[in-house]
Amino acid sequence: MSTSKTLDANRVSKREFVQRFARRGGISVFAAQTAYNAMIDELLDLVSQGNTVTLTNFGKFYPQNHKGHRVQFGKDDGAGEVTDYTVLKFSATREVNRRVKTND
């Protein structure tokens, strides 16, 4: 069973990710942060408009719509309803999935 500390030890913060990205790309942290922000903003804008974004040899990001439904317990501990909503989904390519290694 994993503990919270174990999970935190395996997480990479945004700051660390951008620093590693900058080092690998041989660019400044500022340039990496700018590229990261632009990529995330553009990805979210495109998907929120209903588009599927395919990154060749990586995977695709797409919106997945869910129907609203009744809930037994709401924020006010009474019955309520969840309206229709959309979530961001990601599907990796087979090659990417093969490259992912776990310590299981």
Side-chain angles (χ1 to χ4, degrees), residues 18 21-23 25-39:
V18 169
F21 168 45
R23 189 170 36 251
I27 60 176
S28 72
V29 172
F30 179 79
Q33 184 66 58
T34 302
Y36 173 89
N37 290 338
M39 185 186 80

Side-chain angles (χ1 to χ4, degrees), residues 32-103:
Q33 184 66 58
T34 302
Y36 173 89
N37 290 338
M39 185 186 80
I40 296 298
D41 289 345
E42 190 63 27
L43 177 68
L44 293 175
D45 285 350
L46 287 166
V47 173
S48 70
Q49 294 168 15
N51 296 293
T52 295
V53 177
T54 302
L55 302 179
T56 305
N57 298 323
F58 185 67
K60 66 180 180 177
F61 297 86
Y62 58 96
Q64 184 176 70
N65 298 317
H66 293 271
K67 289 283 187 189
H69 53 84
R70 294 182 145 265
V71 293
Q72 184 173 357
F73 302 103
K75 288 184 179 181
D76 58 2
D77 290 332
E81 192 163 312
V82 173
T83 59
D84 293 353
Y85 62 99
T86 304
V87 297
L88 174 69
K89 297 294 283 187
F90 172 71
S91 178
T93 63
R94 281 189 209 120
E95 180 60 30
V96 166
N97 283 327
R98 285 186 195 116
R99 289 184 59 185
V100 174
K101 299 176 184 170
T102 61
N103 294 328

